[in-house]
Amino acid sequence: MTLASRFDMPGQIWSVAAQHPSGPLFTTTYGANPLETVVSSVDLSGRVLWERAYPGTGRPRSRLSASGTLWLARPTDGGGRALEGIRPDGSVDRSVALPCRAGEEVAAFVVLGDGFCVSWAGAAPVLLAPGVQPSRVPRVARYSREGHCLWSTPIDLGPVSHPGLLEMNAETGWEIQMSAPRQPSWVEASHREPLLVSGDRLAAGFTDGRSGVGRTFFLDLVSGALVAVTDPAPSGRKAIAGPGAFLIGALGYGECATRGFDRDGAQSARWECHGAMTVDGLGAARGPARSVGPSCTSQFRLLTTSNSFVDGPHLADHHTSHPAVDTNGTAVFWLGGKLLAVDSDMTLRELFASKDDRSVLGRTLLLDRGRVVQSLGSEILVFRTDMAALGNGPWPCGDANLLGNPVLE
């Protein structure tokens, strides 16, 4: 296994996607300052095909459509928000203005076949005009291709707490007690996988910006009606488990779990581990995951239908990239300066090793001819391996892998 190429991008990388397994790559990064967003197209040798800079919000957000149009969320000159479509050759397809309220920001979005879904939350103060306050009422909305709002559903996170969230103050008599449920000071979209669409359902995660405790809201994609909502829990990784089904993780305050939810939003399973799960075409979920216990181990694990899991090889840490899986069932991911592969028999192989311990990890992409792409900070690494072609499954080897657009339609 060899490192085929390594190249720098304009700033920290937030997204890497590809329309085709042969490339090129489409990247979204910071620019010269935190409020500038740069989108680029580069080939697998690092040659820049085109590059465009836009005013940003401090959190670059983009999605690649199946047609190869890269959609970018950006501020408009009038202080509004728009989705800009950029063609594969770097020219602008069109700009879709999104009607929004004062103090709102595009917190997350996905591209549908006939339009877009957007999570809205309060904008950062640096983006607001004088006298305008961040919106305190998040919402999820669906739009047509032209930007017409089809529905908009307000989100009420409500007072949140968690058994592991403790406090000690005059109200508790200076004794350590579980924090009482409190209305959040501000609400933001979940950090990981904030908006997923599967079949006729979507899962939108929102959290209390202070504690990180949040809920996932399951909505009907056609009407926007609220189907169900999870109990408050520390925010964790999420995944599409199948048509209308999701995996929702929780990590923090002593909780380390993954729960399965069906199309009705009912909990169908719970596993006492949490990590970057992949779901294959048969619905089997596996990935690098940690568990809570005396050893607090991190291992590659297979989740079973009996709410238990099968332990695979031990891992040195739990901070991994999200794996990609090939047609042989082998998962490839980055961990602690190493490119690792775990095959369907749970055998671990080291494909590449370095002393690079950077923790700002992007997704792992599996392209053709066994090429693996990994982003680290502002760098992209391209490896030549013996991996087979990208596998087919709901997560992340569907649209959420190459396209970086978490939609299973």
Side-chain angles (χ1 to χ4, degrees):
M1 317 305 167
T2 60
L3 175 60
S5 58
R6 178 196 296 260
F7 46 93
D8 290 313
M9 299 309 298
Q12 182 178 313
I13 299 167
W14 278 65
S15 173
V16 180
Q19 183 192 9
H20 191 272
S22 63
L25 303 175
F26 298 92
T27 68
T28 305
T29 72
Y30 284 126
N33 63 71
L35 290 182
E36 181 181 57
T37 296
V38 177
V39 291
S40 311
S41 176
V42 296
D43 64 21
L44 295 179
S45 69
R47 181 170 62 98
V48 178
L49 306 178
W50 54 260
E51 189 173 278
R52 297 180 66 96
Y54 290 89
T57 63
R59 292 185 178 181
R61 297 176 176 89
S62 66
R63 299 294 187 191
L64 186 62
S65 72
S67 66
T69 298
L70 182 69
W71 289 96
L72 175 75
R74 65 169 183 85
T76 63
D77 293 338
R81 298 293 182 266
L83 298 179
E84 183 103 334
I86 307 165
R87 297 188 183 97
D89 64 2
S91 62
V92 175
D93 180 347
R94 58 197 173 93
S95 185
V96 178
L98 299 178
C100 61
R101 304 164 186 164
E104 280 189 322
E105 179 58 88
V106 174
F109 77 98
V110 296
V111 180
L112 304 175
D114 59 358
F116 313 92
C117 269
V118 177
S119 289
W120 294 91
V126 69
L127 302 172
L128 301 176
V132 177
Q133 298 296 315
S135 172
R136 295 178 62 89
V137 182
R139 62 189 177 102
V140 181
R142 182 174 179 179
Y143 300 89
S144 69
R145 288 176 52 84
E146 295 74 29
H148 301 304
C149 186
L150 305 178
W151 52 257
S152 178
T153 301
I155 297 296
D156 181 13
L157 189 62
V160 294
S161 185
H162 187 268
L165 183 57
L166 306 177
E167 64 180 356
M168 182 178 68
N169 50 41
E171 295 179 11
T172 68
W174 302 107
E175 294 182 355
I176 298 176
Q177 296 182 7
M178 186 182 90
S179 178
R182 286 190 172 84
Q183 197 72 32
S185 300
W186 78 93
V187 177
E188 58 190 15
S190 299
H191 177 62
R192 293 186 181 275
E193 298 89 33
L195 187 62
L196 306 175
V197 172
S198 179
D200 62 348
R201 294 289 186 261
L202 66 84
F206 290 91
T207 63
D208 170 16
R210 177 172 296 175
S211 68
V213 174
R215 301 172 185 259
T216 297
F217 296 78
F218 302 109
L219 306 181
D220 181 273
L221 183 62
V222 176
S223 67
L226 179 65
V227 175
V229 59
T230 64
D231 293 331
S235 182
R237 290 180 180 264
K238 305 176 186 66
I240 294 172
F246 303 92
L247 299 179
I248 308 297
L251 181 65
Y253 301 118
E255 185 165 358
C256 181
T258 299
R259 292 175 290 169
F261 291 87
D262 62 21
R263 181 177 172 275
D264 296 325
Q267 182 174 313
S268 57
R270 178 185 172 97
W271 299 272
E272 298 302 322
C273 65
H274 172 274
M277 291 292 112
T278 65
V279 183
D280 64 23
L282 299 176
R286 72 189 72 201
R290 66 183 299 185
S291 61
V292 171
S295 58
C296 194
T297 57
S298 183
Q299 295 176 252
F300 199 90
R301 292 182 159 100
L302 169 67
L303 307 186
T304 68
T305 55
S306 59
N307 291 359
S308 61
F309 48 82
V310 177
D311 285 334
H314 284 269
L315 303 174
D317 190 10
H318 67 275
H319 190 72
T320 71
S321 66
H322 206 295
V325 181
D326 70 9
T327 52
N328 295 327
T330 299
V332 60
F333 55 96
W334 185 266
L335 169 64
K338 298 178 180 180
L339 187 67
L340 303 177
V342 178
D343 66 21
S344 58
D345 293 327
M346 294 287 204
T347 300
L348 175 69
R349 289 189 298 144
E350 186 178 288
L351 303 184
F352 178 85
S354 71
K355 295 182 179 179
D356 194 331
D357 60 354
R358 282 176 292 181
S359 60
V360 182
L361 307 180
R363 298 182 307 132
T364 300
L365 271 66
L366 177 57
L367 304 182
D368 62 3
R369 292 186 288 167
R371 290 177 294 188
V372 175
V373 172
Q374 179 66 52
S375 62
L376 292 172
S378 61
E379 273 192 326
I380 291 178
L381 283 62
V382 181
F383 300 91
R384 293 190 182 278
T385 75
D386 61 357
M387 298 284 294
L390 183 67
N392 183 31
W395 189 264
C397 295
D399 286 353
N401 189 264
L402 289 186
L403 297 179
N405 185 47
V407 175
L408 182 69
E409 290 190 282

